[in-house]
């Protein structure tokens, strides 16, 4: 397949080098001892956990923070708190049709998911009156909401939008939407599961981005590599309401350790390294792959240029042929190019047609992290050249 590639194994899709579970637990035991955390929290109450919540809240420019075991729980608690404190029986929740709160899964079949988005929203968020705004294949825009939102409504903005390969709202649109929400008395909530990974695109401090929002949720495993966990940050009143709904929704567990300890470790480590290097590396590799005619004939990106530290890669061909060519490359070179193909996604205009004129496509999600960002760009190009040759040989 490729004579120039060494036979040593290399995973181009692994953005983190994950230790085994026993090794990670040993690391956590050492971490707890070094930090002087010798007893678990009790229902989320522990001085060092509260210090961690304050550390994240301060970074994001918010008054308070609260640790949640999952992001879905954190966001539902936030919506309940906003509507209880500031809403009315007629208040609505505005969401993009790709929202994680609607689908609770990644992009699979975009056309089918777009058609059932409203039904999914009604079924998954029965406590709220939901309005879906914007186009499924595009980032949310201010014009999607301006003129529609009113006092007491909540607008949820995902930065960046995972189902769209990391597409994200333009800065000017964010400013306009934030201004309009405040003018009419609506609340603006950020689904910031991948906020860390989009910050280099905006090239602004995190607290400046978060200042446009009334509440912000962040994840500790997406982009940070933590075991689990999330944080919700907002003003004191909203956080008091969110903590109350954390309990009501079944999220007040007896002990959050060692999850919060692992989250703090990954958070502090990644904040020291920053995400600009990851973003620049992904930009560099996307440009290099797009410049190669053989690779370009079987691959395109959504969006065409990265807007975060993740992107969707669309490949031309049936999943059977793609998997067969991938298996050939892995066997011959030890190179793994993706961990799983996820489905047809949605229409990407730049996609290539196969030799028989068909336009079958399958995509995978590609995240750039501390592990795969260390791989030389030339190795990415060589591996994908090998894949293009293997795919051409498939019957």
């Amino acid at each position: 397949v490729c004579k120039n590639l060494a036979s040593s194994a290399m995973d181009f899709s692994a953005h983190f080098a994950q230790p085994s579970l026993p090794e990670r637990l040993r690391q956590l035991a050492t971490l707890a001892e070094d930090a002087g955390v010798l007893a678990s929290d009790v229902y989320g109450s522990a001085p060092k956990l509260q210090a961690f919540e304050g550390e994240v809240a301060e970074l994001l420019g918010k008054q308070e923070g609260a640790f949640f075991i999952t992001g879905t729980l954190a966001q539902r608690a936030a919506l309940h708190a906003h509507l209880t404190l500031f809403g009315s029986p007629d208040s609505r929740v505005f969401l993009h049709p790709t929202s994680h709160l609607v689908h609770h899964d990644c992009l699979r079949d975009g056309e089918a998911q777009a058609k059932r988005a409203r039904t999914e929203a009604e079924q998954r968020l029965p406590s709220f009156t939901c309005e879906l705004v914007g186009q499924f294949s595009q980032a949310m825009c201010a014009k999607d909401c301006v003129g529609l939102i009113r006092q007491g409504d909540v607008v949820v903005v995902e930065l960046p939008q995972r189902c769209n390969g990391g597409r994200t709202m333009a800065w000017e649109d964010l400013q306009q939407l934030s201004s309009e929400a405040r003018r009419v008395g609506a609340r603006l909530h950020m689904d910031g599961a991948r906020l860390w990974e989009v910050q280099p695109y905006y090239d602004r401090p995190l607290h400046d981005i978060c200042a446009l929002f009334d509440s912000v949720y962040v994840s500790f495993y997406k982009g940070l590599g933590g075991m689990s966990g999330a944080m919700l940050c907002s003003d004191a009143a909203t956080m008091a309401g969110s903590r109350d709904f954390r309990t009501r929704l079944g999220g007040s567990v007896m002990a959050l350790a060692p999850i919060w300890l692992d989250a703090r470790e990954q958070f502090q480590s990644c904040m020291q390294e920053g995400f600009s290097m990851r973003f620049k590396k992904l930009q560099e590799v996307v440009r290099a792959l797009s410049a190669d005619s053989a690779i370009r004939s079987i691959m395109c990106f959504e969006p065409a240029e990265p807007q975060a530290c993740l992107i969707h890669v669309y490949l031309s061909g049936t999943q059977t042929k793609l998997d067969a060519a991938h298996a050939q490359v892995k066997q011959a070179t030890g190179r793994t190019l993706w961990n799983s193909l996820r489905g047809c996604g949605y229409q990407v205009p730049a996609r290539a047609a196969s030799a028989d004129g068909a336009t079958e496509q399958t995509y995978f999600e590609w995240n750039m992290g501390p592990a795969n960002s260390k791989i030389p760009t030339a190795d990415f190009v060589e591996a994908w050249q090998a894949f293009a040759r293997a795919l051409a040989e498939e019957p």
Side-chain angles (χ1 to χ4, degrees):
V1 175
C2 184
K3 297 179 181 179
N4 296 325
L5 290 178
S7 60
S8 59
M10 187 177 293
D11 191 342
F12 292 84
S13 67
H15 46 304
F16 288 97
Q18 295 287 7
S20 67
L21 179 59
E23 182 180 355
R24 189 154 200 165
L25 292 176
R26 285 191 290 270
Q27 292 172 352
L28 282 171
T30 301
L31 183 67
E33 291 175 351
D34 292 345
V37 180
L38 305 181
S40 180
D41 60 281
V42 179
Y43 291 109
S45 178
K48 293 193 176 180
L49 172 54
Q50 272 66 75
F52 174 42
E53 293 171 332
E55 179 184 0
V56 177
E58 182 178 3
L59 178 69
L60 303 184
K62 300 302 178 187
Q63 288 182 336
E64 295 182 10
F67 192 89
F68 283 73
I69 201 67
T70 72
T72 299
L73 176 65
Q75 298 205 86
R76 291 192 182 203
L79 294 181
H80 278 291
H82 283 306
L83 293 173
T84 300
L85 290 168
F86 306 103
S88 68
D90 297 328
S91 295
R92 302 155 297 170
V93 175
F94 284 76
L95 301 145
H96 190 267
T98 63
S99 172
H100 182 61
L101 288 170
V102 173
H103 297 285
H104 199 62
D105 190 14
C106 64
L107 177 67
R108 299 290 181 181
D109 181 337
E111 183 177 356
Q113 286 173 285
K115 288 180 180 178
R116 67 172 186 265
R118 185 167 298 282
T119 300
E120 292 278 359
E122 292 172 354
Q123 293 177 346
R124 296 184 181 280
L125 300 168
S127 300
F128 310 110
T129 301
C130 297
E131 298 288 345
L132 302 185
V133 292
Q135 299 181 39
F136 190 92
S137 61
Q138 299 296 322
M140 198 172 183
C141 300
K143 66 181 181 181
D144 295 332
C145 297
V146 172
L148 297 177
I149 57 176
R150 60 184 182 232
Q151 184 174 359
D153 288 340
V154 182
V155 183
V156 179
V157 178
E158 183 182 3
L159 297 183
Q161 294 174 195
R162 182 193 180 189
C163 279
N164 303 108
R167 284 188 182 274
T168 193
M169 284 187 72
W171 179 250
E172 294 75 16
D173 275 272
L174 279 174
Q175 290 178 307
Q176 183 182 355
L177 179 58
S178 178
S179 177
E180 177 69 5
R182 287 170 182 172
R183 185 185 72 81
V184 302
R187 304 286 283 180
L188 197 58
H189 168 74
M190 185 203 298
D191 177 344
R194 295 167 178 81
L195 171 62
W196 327 113
E197 297 175 274
V198 80
Q199 184 269 333
Y201 174 76
Y202 289 119
D203 195 26
R204 286 174 168 81
L206 288 167
H207 59 76
D208 284 358
I209 301 171
C210 296
L212 302 176
F213 294 83
D214 296 293
S215 59
V216 178
Y217 140 68
V218 292
S219 172
F220 293 114
Y221 71 91
K222 296 165 184 173
L224 298 185
M227 296 175 69
S228 185
M231 190 83 77
L232 180 67
C233 299
S234 187
D235 59 86
T238 302
M239 290 311 304
S242 298
R243 291 187 187 94
D244 179 40
F245 275 100
R246 179 176 62 182
T247 300
R248 292 199 208 181
L249 294 171
S252 183
V253 297
M254 177 61 183
L256 291 168
I259 298 297
W260 76 262
L261 265 173
D262 178 76
R264 187 182 71 169
E265 175 67 11
Q266 304 309 319
F267 167 77
Q268 293 176 342
S269 175
C270 288
M271 288 302 108
Q272 287 179 353
E273 295 177 1
F275 288 80
S276 294
M277 181 272 291
R278 299 188 198 182
F279 183 57
K280 291 176 181 177
K281 179 67 176 186
L282 183 57
Q283 289 178 308
E284 178 184 301
V285 176
V286 167
R287 283 194 297 265
L289 296 177
S290 299
D292 186 282
S293 59
I295 299 172
R296 192 171 61 246
S297 69
I298 54 97
M299 168 195 287
C300 65
F301 296 97
E302 170 63 358
E305 297 180 359
Q307 296 180 14
C309 299
L310 75 148
I311 199 163
H312 285 175
V313 184
Y314 280 81
L315 302 174
S316 296
T318 66
Q319 181 162 346
T320 299
K321 288 185 176 182
L322 295 170
D323 282 337
H326 191 210
Q328 186 180 347
V329 170
K330 286 198 286 186
Q331 182 177 9
T333 70
R335 269 48 175 167
T336 298
L337 301 177
W338 64 78
N339 56 11
S340 65
L341 297 174
R342 305 199 174 207
C344 61
Y346 54 75
Q347 290 287 91
V348 178
R351 73 187 186 281
S354 60
D356 60 3
T359 55
E360 291 184 81
Q361 61 179 11
T362 306
Y363 94 96
F364 68 90
E365 186 173 283
W366 183 18
N367 295 268
M368 188 64 72
N372 54 359
S373 62
K374 293 180 172 64
I375 301 173
T377 299
D379 286 359
F380 280 94
V381 175
E382 284 190 81
W384 278 103
Q385 286 173 336
F387 174 79
R389 287 193 292 272
L391 185 62
E393 295 171 0
E394 284 297 312

